[in-house]
Amino acid sequence: MTEPILTVHNCTMRFGGLTAVKNFSLQLMPQELVGLIGPNGAGKTTVFNLLTGIYRPTEGQIIFRGRNITGWKTYRIARLGIARTFQNIRLFRSLTVLENVKAGARIHMRTGLWDAAWRTYPMLCEEEQVHAEAWRILQEIGLDDVAHYRAGDLPYGEQRRLEIARALAMHPYLLLLDEPAAGMNPQETAHLMELIRRLRDEYGLTILLIEHDMKVVMGICERIVVLDYGEEIAQGTPEQIRTNPRVIAAYLGEAPA
Amino acid sequence: MEAFLQQLINGIQYGSIYALIAVGYTMVYGVLRLINFAHGDVYMLGAFVAYYIIVGLQIDKHPSVGNFVFVLLMCMLVCAVVGMLIERLAYRPIRHAPRLTALITAIGVSLLLENGGIVVFGADPKYIPTIIEPAQAGESGLFVSVGQMIMLVVSLVFMVILRFIVMNTRFGRAMRAIAYDMDAARLMGIHVDRVIALTFALGSALAGAAGMMVATFTSVKITPLFGLLPGVKAFVAAVLGGIGNIPGAVLGGLLMGVIEAFVGGSALTTYRDAIAFLILILVLLLRPSGILGKAVTEKV
Amino acid sequence: MSVGRFWLLRGISLFAAAGSLLAANALIAWLRATGWVDDYTYRVIMLCGINILLAVSLNFINGITGQFSIGHAGFQGVGAYTSAAFTLASIRWFQERGLAGTSLGDQILLASAIVVGAVSAALAGLLVGIPSLRLRGDYLAIATLGFGEIIRVTILNIEAVGGARGLKDIPILTNFLWLYLVVFLLLALSRNLLVSVQGLGFLAVRDDEIVAEALGVNTTRLKVIAFVLGACFAGIAGSLYAHFDGYLNPDNFRLEQSIIILTMVVLGGQGSVTGSVLSAILLTVVLEWLRFLPTITLGGRAFTPSELRMVFFSLMLILLMLWRPKGLLGQKEFGWMVLRQYWRLLRT
C-alpha cells in the first residue's frame, strides 16, 4: 500500500471577508493524473497557489512527500519537488527558450554563485551537464529548433509548451498544470494530451491539472475533482463526473423547473 | 509646557506648508502612480515669482490685503501653468512607460528646474523684505506672528476648497475615477488627459501658494535649490499619510511639521533634516500604505 | 572538458589579461612621461575607471536584478570615508616601520584601505538591502534614496572625518594599474555571472519574481546578494577615488552623484554591462568637456559653464527618457558573440 504523495487536509483560504477555498481536501497517489475542474472563480488557481506556498492557508495542512509543507516558502516547496505552470503564461520573456529551461534546471545544481563568478572547473562541468539536459528536454518537447529565440517571441502554443519544459527541468515529483490547453486548437490540444501522458509515464510524475477543455480532462484524467465556490462538490472518474447532476448544475445552471 | 506649546504651534505652521505641498504629490501619484520629483521645485518657483512681483512692483512698500491676494493668485497661476507644461511635455509622452523611466524623467525635470533656476535667477539667496511685524508674544507668552496666522488660515481655506472640489464636483469625481482605473475612466467618457492636466494645475497652484507664503511671511532666504528639501519632506508626509490619499497628505504634513519642530528644538537638531528620511524608511518598512492608506496585493 | 584543458585555457586568459593590463599601464606611463598625456587627461582616464566601477556595480542591482536603487552614491561615500579614515589612522603605523612612501608599503596600505572600504560598503549594502526587500518599485527607489541621504547626513555630522569641511590630505595611492585591475575584476565577475546558469537566477528575479520563487530561486537571498555586491564595488570605487583625489567632502556623495551614476546605467541600457562601460566613459568625458564651454553672456548676465553643465545634463536625461529609455544597448551586450552574429548576417 503506497503512501499518497500529496495530502491536503481541510484547507481553507480566506482573504479578508472572502473565502476563496473552503475545507478543501485532496489526496494524490504517486503517478496519478488528476484533473481539477470547476466554473471560473471556483478557486482552482487558489488551490495551486496554496500548494506552491504563494498563499499560506488560513486553516488546514498540506503534506507533501511525508513533510508538512504548510507555510513553507515557495522556493523551498519547489526544491522539495513541486513544479507548476501558470494560467497566464509567465515565462522569462527577455531570456531565450534555452535559458528559460536552464533556469528551471538551476534548482538542483550543486555549484553556486561563487563557482559561477570565478568560473571554476566544477562549475564548468556542471554547466555542460545542465546544457545537455536542457537540450534533451527541448528535443523531447519539440522546441529545439527555436532554442535561441526570445521566449517572448514564440507563438502562443509553443510558449505553453515551454512552460512545461521549464517545469520539467526542475525534476519535480508533482507537476501542477494550470490550463495548459487554453487557447489551443484541436490539433495542438491532441498533441498536448499525448505529451502529458507521455511525460507522466516516462518521468513517473504525479500530475494535477486545471483545465476547462473537457476533451482534455475526460481524455487523460484518471480522476477528477470538481470545485464550485471554493468547495469540492464532486470527485470521481470521468464517467461519474460527466453524469453528476451537481456538476452539471454548477456549469450550466439549474434546469428550468 | 510653554516650550511644548510653542513647538507645537511652530510645528503646525511648518506642517500646514508641508500639507499644501504634500497634497500636490499625492494627487499626482493617485492619478498617475508617478512621484513628481519636480513638485518641490514648483514650490520654489512660487517663491521666486512672489519675490520678483513684490520687489519688482515694490509691493513691499504698499502692503495691503488686495495686493497680497494679487500676488498669491499670480503665483498660483504661474505655477499652475508650469505644472501643466511639465505634465504635457515630460510626463504625458511616457505615461505608459515602465515606472523607473517615469521616475528618472521626474528626477530630470527636477534637476532642470533647479539648475535652470540657478542659471536664470542666480544662485545668490534672495529675500523679500519683511512686510509684516515679526512674532509677537501673545498673552500666554507664546510667539505667534501675524504672518504665521495668515499662512495657517490660508492653508486651511485651501484644504477645505480642495476637499470640496474632490468630493463634490464632477472634476473631483473624474479625478478619483482615474485614480481607481484609468482605462475604465476613459471608457466612461472621462477626458483623461484634460483631467490629469487640471490635476497637475491644481497641485502646482497649491505648491505655488505655499512657496509664495513662505517667501513673503517668513524670513527664509530663497535660492533655486530651496525647494528640494521641503519637497522631499512633503513627499515623506504624503507617504506617511498614505500616498494617493488627500486627507492623508494633510495629516502627514501636519505630523511631519510637528515632529520636525520637536526634533529641531531638541538635542538632535543637526539631524533635523535626516529625520524626514528616517520617518520615510520606517513608514515604508512598517506600514507602506501609510496611516490612512489601503494595502494592495498582487494577483497571481 | 578535461582538467588539463581547463587549466590551459584559464592560464592563457589570465596571462593575456595580466599582459594587457601591464602593457596598458606601461603605455600610459610612457605617454605621461613624454607629455602626450597631461595630468588633466590622466585624471579623466582615472575618473572613467572609477565611474565604470560605479555604473557597472549599480547596473548589477538595477539592471540585472531589477531592483530600484537610487542611493548608490551613499555606498561610494561609505567606502571612500572608511578607507580614508583607515589610511589616515594607520599611516603612523606604516611610518614607524619605515614602510611609508615605499612602493611595497604603499601597495599594502592601499590594498588594506580598499578592503576596509569594500567591507564597510558591503555592510552598508546589507543594512540597506535587507529592509528594502519588502518594498517594490517606486517605494524601493525612495527608500534607497532615503538611505543614501541618511548616510550623507551621518557622514556630515561625524567631526572625526571633517564633517562639512571635508577630509583632506589623504595619501595619493591609486594608480592606473590598481584601478584598472579592479575594473577588470568587476567586469570579469559580472560577465561570468551573467553567462552562467546560476546567474540566470538574478535575471529571473528581474523578469518575474514570483515565477523565480516557483522555480526554487531564493529571491530574498539573491536580492540581498545583489545589493551587497553592488554596494561593495561602489565602496571600492569610493576608496580608489579617495586615494586618488586626496580630498573628500560629503557633497561629493549627495543625490546628484547618485543621479549621475543612475544616468550612466540608464544611458548604457539597464542590464547591459558593456552599455554601462560605454556610457560611463561617454558621460565622464562629456561632463568634463562641458567644463570648457565658453562663458556665454546674454543680456548682460554671464552664464558660467558649471551652471550650464547641469542644465545640459538634466535636459539630456529627460530627452533620453522620452526618446530612448532603453539606452544605447538595451539589455544586450556588445562582445564577440554580437560581432560573430553580424559577421554571419553579412555573409548570407
Side-chain angles (χ1 to χ4, degrees), chain C residues 116-128:
Chain C
V116 169
V119 169
S120 8
L123 274 173
L126 191 66
L127 275 170
V128 172

Side-chain angles (χ1 to χ4, degrees), chain B:
Chain B
M1 186 55 187
E2 263 178 24
F4 177 83
L5 278 178
Q6 182 65 59
Q7 299 291 34
L8 194 60
I9 292 178
N10 289 345
I12 295 185
Q13 178 214 322
Y14 301 151
S16 56
I17 295 297
Y18 289 144
L20 276 180
I21 308 175
V23 160
Y25 271 116
T26 226
M27 287 201 294
V28 166
Y29 190 85
V31 293
L32 280 185
R33 302 285 177 273
L34 167 74
I35 301 175
N36 182 11
F37 269 97
H39 196 57
D41 302 296
V42 172
Y43 157 84
M44 175 268 291
L45 272 178
F48 269 95
V49 171
Y51 169 78
Y52 280 114
I53 296 183
I54 291 181
V55 170
L57 297 181
Q58 306 231 314
I59 293 185
D60 46 322
K61 309 264 193 311
H62 316 281
S64 75
V65 175
N67 282 347
F68 282 125
V69 172
F70 169 71
V71 178
L72 181 66
L73 288 177
M74 284 306 295
C75 290
M76 288 174 72
L77 185 64
V78 170
C79 288
V81 169
V82 170
M84 287 200 288
L85 267 176
I86 294 177
E87 191 272 326
R88 181 70 190 80
L89 296 174
Y91 298 152
R92 193 180 301 180
I94 49 152
R95 193 173 288 168
H96 298 290
R99 300 271 274 282
L100 188 58
T101 307
L103 198 72
I104 297 177
T105 311
I107 292 178
V109 175
S110 169
L111 282 178
L112 183 63
L113 286 176
E114 282 161 22
N115 290 290
I118 293 181
V119 167
V120 171
F121 303 136
D124 47 309
K126 300 170 170 49
Y127 71 105
I128 299 178
T130 351
I131 308 167
I132 305 228
E133 311 86 64
Q136 295 173 328
E139 304 93 49
S140 45
L142 295 171
F143 282 78
V144 182
S145 72
V146 178
Q148 280 181 320
M149 288 306 301
I150 298 181
M151 280 166 70
L152 193 54
V153 168
V154 171
S155 305
L156 274 173
V157 167
F158 279 147
M159 291 303 144
V160 170
I161 297 179
L162 184 70
R163 178 100 182 137
F164 177 78
I165 293 178
V166 169
M167 286 303 183
N168 295 69
T169 63
R170 274 182 69 194
F171 167 74
R173 250 203 309 282
M175 223 175 75
R176 282 182 288 142
I178 296 178
Y180 245 86
D181 188 332
M182 192 187 290
D183 291 325
R186 196 175 276 137
L187 289 171
M188 290 296 120
I190 293 178
H191 197 298
V192 167
D193 285 345
R194 224 184 274 156
V195 173
I196 290 183
L198 281 178
T199 307
F200 266 85
L202 200 52
S204 306
L206 289 176
M212 177 265 173
M213 289 197 290
V214 166
T216 319
F217 299 123
T218 68
S219 51
V220 158
K221 299 212 187 323
I222 51 182
T223 73
L225 294 178
F226 103 125
L228 188 57
L229 213 44
V232 172
K233 291 178 186 175
F235 172 70
V236 175
V239 172
L240 176 62
I243 191 119
N245 186 308
I246 295 177
V250 176
L251 177 63
L254 291 172
L255 268 177
M256 278 293 302
V258 170
I259 295 178
E260 258 201 12
F262 280 112
V263 170
S266 77
L268 291 169
T269 183
T270 42
Y271 284 92
R272 196 188 69 174
D273 292 336
I275 281 291
F277 295 108
L278 197 57
I279 294 179
L280 177 69
I281 310 269
L282 284 174
V283 169
L284 287 181
L285 291 180
L286 299 175
R287 195 184 157 86
S289 46
I291 298 178
L292 296 180
K294 280 188 303 251
V296 178
T297 40
E298 184 186 348
K299 180 166 199 253
V300 177

Side-chain angles (χ1 to χ4, degrees), chain B residues 271 274 277-278 281, chain C residues 145-155:
Chain B
Y271 284 92
F277 295 108
L278 197 57
I281 310 269
Chain C
L145 192 157
F147 273 117
E149 278 301 291
I150 289 180
I151 290 178
R152 185 184 64 87
V153 171
T154 311
I155 294 179

Side-chain angles (χ1 to χ4, degrees), chain A residues 176-194:
Chain A
L176 305 176
L177 299 173
D178 200 338
E179 301 198 29
M184 285 191 178
N185 64 45
Q187 207 179 13
E188 289 171 324
T189 308
H191 282 148
L192 179 74
M193 285 167 64
E194 194 238 302

